[in-house]
Amino acid sequence: MHFDTVIHDGTIITATETFRGDIGISGGRIIALAERLAGGERRIDAGGRLVLPGGIETHAHIAQESSGGVLTADDYLSGSVSAAFGGNSSFIPFAAQHRGQSIDHVIETCGARARRSVIDYSWHLIVSDPTPEVLEDQLPRAFARGITSFKVFMTYDLMNIGDGGMLDILTVAKAHGAITMVHAENNDMVKWMNRRLAEQGLTAPKYHAISRPELAEEEAINRAVSLARLVNAPLFIVHVSTAGGAAIVQREKLAGTRLFAETCPQYLALTRQDLDRPGMEGAKFMCSPPLRDAATQEALWQHIRAGTFDCVSSDHAPYRFDESGKFSAGRDVAYPKIANGMPGIAARLPYLFSEGVMKGRITANQFVALSATNAARTFGMKRKGSIAPGMDGDIAIWNPEARRKVTLADQHDNMDYTPFEGMELTGAPELVMNRGAVIVEKGALRAAEGQGRFVPRAPADLTARPGHIAKELDPAQNFGAPIAARSGGPA
Ligand code: URP
Ligand code: ZN
Ligand code: ZN
């Protein structure tokens, strides 16, 4: 057998297995796994280090305009380079529709921007304007191109599509095999809190955390789940930040609901106290939903360990600490005018590995599931997320003993700060491959701009998530009303 590359003597870890052996790669794909493989034009000696599937980052805002018109600091080159240094071989940033835009235009724009990527990519479509043309023509066309996830917002005035709009998206998505993702926060609760805080002159960044209560997330998750259950459509809750929200996800998973969820490292590593730093420093830690408290961190770790979350994603939303980003509306503005989001695409996996695997909170197999395998299954990346014959040669070799302090320079992004600055982490990716090509090695980038490829995706894997049929949508129980006909029935 001819191999372009043999990775020799690795501790190979998948979501279910751990074994010592060699991996043979040819034509960008894994073609053999064995205790020992001879040959290989290039032999990489792993020396027993951990050989994992390359990470799949499923929540990243790259070259994306916010509804307020602020462009993220990372484009597809810097964002993908940062992801690669963080142990990722592919990512799925958002392609955001703003009101009045056609989905085709959004995809063309993102297609042109993504040509610079050094890792493989797809997009989740953000839908903020679900007109009949969008629902009936444009989303099905996007789906046919292999874009099989649509994201909606329950908050932000310019993005929130309301419960009816969400039911429309859920129904169309389900009819085509797509999964709907949701940012779940109760918009009116947040606006009410904003008004009360403003009336009292409480405008510092720390009040951002107060303005978005835990109950706003919990209520919205509960409502999103009810909407999805009504039409029995798959739903993915992004960036769960509360114990109550996680408990709803756990309850629904027990019930067999077609539900998926993620949390993010910032909710494990930081708290609302970080927003209470001198001057405007707290703005660096403003994201939505906001950072919570130590008890929440503990609860989220418990849910990670127990399998409530399918993914731990970064929600990389890089806005620099200057007028191009956080302060695009001015330096001394009230918190509602400061851009929401923080960077973390390079820190996601080192943080999860160090705090999760090295501290015994999760196994290395769980780490693989949370960082790559579940993402591939949920978002239809059939040839990614595991190490097996036929899979893409997307691999990261990790040194579990490497110790380092997080620095901005190590993030390799286009940012001027990292919220994880100074944290001591153990374990780091030392070599990263995408489709058999080494893209990061010995701290250096080996990839060429634009070598990443678009990955057309399949529908979500709903195995073992039977879902529910709402009585009122079941023609056998609703006097034959064909309410769910457009979605192909409630099953
Ligand atoms: O605060 C965040 N996460 N900003 C990015 C946009 C979003 O809400 O996902
Ligand atoms: Zn969000
Ligand atoms: Zn986000």
Side-chain angles (χ1 to χ4, degrees):
M1 232 176 189
H2 168 267
F3 302 115
D4 298 336
T5 306
V6 168
I7 299 176
H8 170 62
D9 192 25
T11 303
I12 299 165
I13 305 182
T14 70
T16 51
E17 311 294 337
T18 303
F19 52 97
R20 193 98 177 216
D22 291 5
I23 302 173
I25 298 169
S26 212
R29 301 255 201 111
I30 297 168
I31 60 166
L33 289 181
E35 282 183 20
R36 177 101 174 79
L37 290 171
E41 281 176 34
R42 177 170 183 195
R43 286 183 75 79
I44 297 171
D45 189 0
R49 291 195 300 282
L50 311 184
V51 179
L52 315 181
I56 302 175
E57 170 62 76
T58 61
H59 192 146
H61 302 270
I62 305 291
Q64 184 189 324
E65 283 101 3
S66 72
S67 53
V70 186
L71 190 64
T72 53
D74 280 311
D75 60 17
Y76 275 82
L77 180 58
S78 63
S80 65
V81 166
S82 183
F85 275 98
N88 297 287
S89 300
S90 56
F91 64 169
I92 315 180
F94 294 101
Q97 180 208 31
H98 295 295
R99 294 204 175 142
Q101 292 178 337
S102 82
I103 298 292
D104 304 273
H105 165 79
V106 170
I107 295 173
E108 291 318 314
T109 305
C110 286
R113 291 175 179 173
R115 274 186 211 115
R116 304 189 71 190
S117 181
V118 304
I119 62 175
D120 288 354
Y121 58 88
S122 176
W123 304 288
H124 308 294
L125 265 179
I126 291 177
V127 186
S128 68
D129 201 0
T131 62
E133 299 76 49
V134 166
L135 293 169
E136 283 155 28
D137 301 330
Q138 297 174 16
L139 289 180
R141 218 164 28 242
F143 182 82
R145 295 168 78 155
I147 300 172
T148 60
S149 43
F150 309 150
K151 181 183 174 193
V152 297
F153 285 83
M154 300 172 85
T155 189
Y156 304 137
D157 278 348
L158 293 174
M159 303 300 282
N160 174 17
I161 58 167
D163 293 354
M166 203 170 148
L167 281 168
D168 283 340
I169 300 282
L170 284 161
T171 307
V172 169
K174 180 190 165 195
H176 293 277
I179 185 167
T180 303
M181 305 165 79
V182 64
H183 175 138
E185 284 184 291
N186 181 308
N187 201 35
D188 282 343
M189 277 196 204
V190 172
K191 285 165 69 174
W192 190 90
M193 292 294 287
N194 281 341
R195 273 198 307 275
R196 290 294 176 281
L197 288 161
E199 278 162 17
Q200 292 166 59
L202 303 175
T203 59
K206 64 186 171 194
Y207 294 110
H208 170 78
I210 305 307
S211 72
R212 309 185 85 92
E214 295 184 6
L215 282 167
E217 176 176 287
E218 292 165 19
E219 185 283 327
I221 289 179
N222 208 39
R223 182 157 37 102
V225 167
S226 300
L227 296 170
R229 281 188 62 153
L230 180 64
V231 292
N232 202 17
L235 181 68
F236 188 107
I237 316 272
V238 300
H239 49 45
V240 175
S241 68
T242 56
I248 295 168
V249 174
Q250 186 184 43
R251 176 192 81 199
E252 293 297 324
K253 285 194 165 185
L254 271 175
T257 305
R258 293 172 170 170
L259 187 63
F260 303 78
E262 69 177 15
T263 189
C264 313
Q266 51 271 37
Y267 301 116
L268 306 168
L270 302 162
T271 70
R272 69 168 65 101
Q273 296 308 320
D274 289 293
L275 282 88
D276 190 17
R277 298 197 185 196
M280 296 300 274
E281 279 289 299
K284 293 179 176 174
F285 301 89
M286 279 177 56
C287 59
S288 295
L291 303 175
R292 309 291 185 183
D293 55 20
T296 305
Q297 293 177 339
E298 196 42 49
L300 292 176
W301 273 116
Q302 285 173 358
H303 280 287
I304 290 173
R305 185 167 55 240
T308 302
F309 294 114
D310 301 279
C311 304
V312 174
S313 312
S314 72
D315 193 4
H316 182 74
Y319 295 108
R320 291 169 67 97
F321 194 62
D322 63 23
E323 281 77 1
S324 72
K326 288 282 176 191
F327 304 122
S328 57
R331 273 270 161 195
D332 289 317
V333 292
Y335 69 84
K337 291 198 177 310
I338 298 173
N340 277 349
M342 59 175 73
I345 203 165
R348 171 183 79 120
L349 297 182
Y351 179 83
L352 184 64
F353 187 90
S354 183
E355 288 295 311
V357 180
M358 298 309 289
K359 293 203 171 159
R361 291 176 165 122
I362 55 172
T363 66
N365 308 94
Q366 282 176 300
F367 174 83
V368 169
L370 290 161
S371 63
T373 313
N374 295 344
R377 288 188 187 145
T378 306
F379 294 113
M381 290 179 138
K382 292 284 203 192
R383 291 215 300 262
K384 298 197 180 288
S386 193
I387 295 178
M391 303 300 277
D392 283 351
D394 286 7
I395 287 170
I397 302 181
W398 283 67
N399 178 353
E401 277 151 24
R403 289 177 66 83
R404 65 179 190 203
K405 261 192 184 170
V406 176
T407 64
L408 175 61
D410 279 345
Q411 308 308 296
H412 300 274
D413 58 11
N414 210 7
M415 284 297 294
D416 53 0
Y417 77 94
T418 164
F420 301 96
E421 184 79 46
M423 288 187 194
E424 308 247 10
L425 300 182
T426 307
E430 291 187 339
L431 181 144
V432 184
M433 296 173 110
N434 175 216
R435 277 180 289 105
V438 173
I439 54 174
V440 167
E441 187 178 17
K442 297 195 178 102
L445 184 70
R446 303 275 185 235
E449 175 174 337
Q451 77 177 60
R453 291 281 170 273
F454 174 70
V455 181
R457 293 184 285 120
D461 180 352
L462 300 179
T463 313
R465 286 173 166 91
H468 316 274
I469 299 177
K471 294 185 189 93
E472 298 80 358
L473 270 79
D474 179 0
Q477 301 182 71
N478 73 358
F479 310 111
I483 298 167
R486 256 173 71 190
S487 67

